[in-house]
């Protein structure tokens, strides 16, 4: 009996060893990325959260102040103004960027002559340096630029009402190519038989989009919604190059506020409190989107 059991278990032992060896090889390959993630994400986030409870001097001295930085932050009108700019920028950028990505993905989905060229052209802004793109759009939205010339609006970047829409347009131009690729990959997974059957049944194009295409690409759309929201809440370089937060504080985003407090005024504890609040807001948005995704999947 024991020999039978030993014989039965003999083939599983090599498989178990191979499985363990494969697991360790996989971990070895993933170790560099895991170490960087832990050091620069997990540890840095925890250190930042802890730092928000201290008053930190330029010389590195730290004095425990508890929640004083958060109390000061919530009473600061500059914080609420920068938060409003960030939320407005995010609310405008995310849906418009995804909508543009979806539209261009539909345009380059077909098999026509030169489709590869158009896909490359539409993706080109994504790999363009953000500084270069910002410099180009500074001229486009300037007093002497084509947009101001056609609409007679003056410089968009000098207008408190138009500066955020101008930044949103630039952001969409830079980012829609990435979303287009994600949605294009999802669109190509739709079986042709389903769309062919819909066409034979007399379904119009808008009905095919409503009842066939959108349900298939919905996971990709929500993936983009989560990633685009996280990127929008962290916007800094685009605004810093194009407006520096102006005019006044019309485009002064939350990360710019954090940067100024940390690296211009060296108030590291207060800057860490801003970062902690920004993390909580971004996490809340991500959780809401996850709940929506879960509901849609049901």
């Amino acid at each position: 009996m024991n020999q039978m059991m030993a014989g039965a278990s003999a083939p599983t032992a090599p498989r178990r060893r191979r499985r363990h060896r494969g697991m360790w090889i996989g971990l070895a390959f993933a170790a560099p990325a895991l170490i960087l993630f832990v050091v620069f994400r997990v540890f840095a986030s925890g250190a930042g959260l802890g730092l928000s409870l201290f008053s930190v001097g330029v010389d590195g001295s730290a004095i425990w102040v508890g929640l004083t930085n958060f109390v000061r932050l919530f009473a600061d009108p500059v914080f609420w103004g920068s938060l409003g700019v960030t939320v407005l920028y995010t609310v405008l950028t995310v849906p418009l960027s995804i909508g543009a990505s979806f539209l261009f993905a539909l345009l380059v989905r077909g098999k026509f002559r030169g489709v590869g060229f158009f896909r490359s052209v539409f993706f080109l802004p994504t790999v363009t340096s953000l500084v270069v793109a910002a410099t180009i759009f500074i001229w486009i939205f300037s007093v002497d630029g084509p947009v101001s010339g056609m609409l007679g609006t003056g410089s968009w970047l000098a207008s408190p009402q138009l500066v955020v829409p101008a930044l949103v347009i630039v952001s969409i131009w830079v980012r829609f190519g990435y979303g287009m690729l994600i949605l294009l990959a999802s669109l190509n997974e739709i079986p042709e038989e389903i769309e062919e059957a819909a066409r034979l049944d007399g379904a119009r194009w808008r009905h095919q989009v409503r009842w066939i295409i959108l349900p298939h690409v919905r996971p990709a759309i929500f993936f983009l919604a989560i990633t685009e929201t996280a990127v929008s809440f962290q916007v800094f370089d685009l605004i810093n190059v194009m407006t520096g937060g102006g005019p006044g504080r019309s485009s002064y985003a939350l990360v710019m506020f954090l940067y100024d407090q940390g690296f211009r005024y060296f108030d590291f504890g207060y800057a860490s409190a801003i970062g902690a609040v920004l993390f909580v807001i971004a996490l809340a948005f991500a959780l809401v989107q996850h709940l929506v995704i879960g509901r849609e999947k049901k």
Side-chain angles (χ1 to χ4, degrees):
M1 183 68 180
N2 292 335
Q3 291 178 349
M4 292 178 60
M5 292 180 63
S9 60
T12 62
R15 286 202 297 269
R16 192 180 301 115
R17 283 197 296 271
R18 285 196 297 271
R19 188 167 58 247
H20 288 170
R21 186 173 57 187
M23 182 187 70
W24 285 113
I25 291 174
L27 286 175
F29 277 107
L34 288 174
I35 292 171
L36 291 175
F37 177 79
V38 170
V39 173
F40 291 103
R41 290 289 185 178
V42 179
F43 176 75
S45 299
L49 184 61
L51 207 61
S52 66
L53 304 176
F54 290 85
S55 175
V56 184
V58 179
D59 58 351
S61 60
I63 302 173
W64 171 264
V65 295
L67 297 176
T68 302
N69 285 326
F70 292 96
V71 175
R72 176 187 164 195
L73 181 65
F74 292 133
D76 192 340
V78 179
F79 164 72
W80 292 109
S82 60
L83 179 60
V85 169
T86 306
V87 171
L88 176 62
Y89 173 83
T90 302
V91 168
L92 291 177
T93 300
V94 173
L96 292 177
S97 177
I98 294 175
S101 301
F102 182 65
L103 176 63
F104 281 94
L106 289 177
L107 288 176
V108 299
R109 181 193 180 199
K111 298 177 180 177
F112 55 89
R113 190 173 184 180
V115 64
F117 169 77
F118 287 107
R119 288 176 182 174
S120 302
V121 169
F122 294 149
F123 186 71
L124 193 60
T126 304
V127 296
T128 303
S129 167
L130 190 61
V131 176
V132 173
T135 304
I136 295 172
F137 276 95
I138 287 174
W139 171 74
I140 290 175
F141 289 119
S142 67
V143 177
D144 301 325
V147 173
S148 301
M150 286 189 296
L151 302 178
T153 54
S155 173
W156 283 39
L157 302 181
S159 168
Q161 291 76 32
L162 296 176
V163 64
V164 173
L167 293 168
V168 169
I169 291 172
V170 182
S171 181
I172 292 171
W173 185 81
V174 172
R175 287 155 53 174
F176 85 89
Y178 169 74
M180 182 192 72
L181 277 189
I182 298 294
L183 291 173
L184 188 60
S186 183
L187 286 172
N188 288 334
E189 292 179 355
I190 301 176
E192 294 183 4
E193 296 79 8
I194 297 178
E195 294 183 89
E196 184 64 29
R199 281 193 291 269
L200 291 175
D201 288 341
R204 295 184 177 180
W205 184 77
R206 66 173 186 274
H207 295 144
Q208 295 178 41
V209 172
R210 172 66 180 86
W211 299 108
I212 297 175
I213 294 177
L214 280 177
H216 274 85
V217 302
R218 186 172 289 122
I221 289 176
F222 280 110
F223 167 76
L224 287 175
I226 292 173
T227 54
E228 292 288 329
T229 300
V231 171
S232 297
F233 266 105
Q234 300 175 52
V235 62
F236 172 77
D237 41 8
L238 178 66
I239 296 178
N240 192 43
V241 173
M242 291 191 69
T243 67
R249 286 199 173 98
S250 304
S251 60
Y252 195 61
L254 203 54
V255 175
M256 295 196 70
F257 184 38
L258 185 156
Y259 175 84
D260 284 345
Q261 295 300 321
F263 299 103
R264 181 170 294 180
Y265 307 121
F266 302 107
D267 195 347
F268 299 115
Y270 193 47
S272 298
I274 299 170
V277 172
L278 180 62
F279 172 77
V280 170
I281 294 172
L283 182 64
F285 268 81
L287 289 175
V288 169
Q289 287 165 335
H290 271 297
L291 290 176
V292 173
I293 291 172
R295 188 178 62 184
E296 293 291 338
K297 285 182 177 179
K298 292 176 182 177

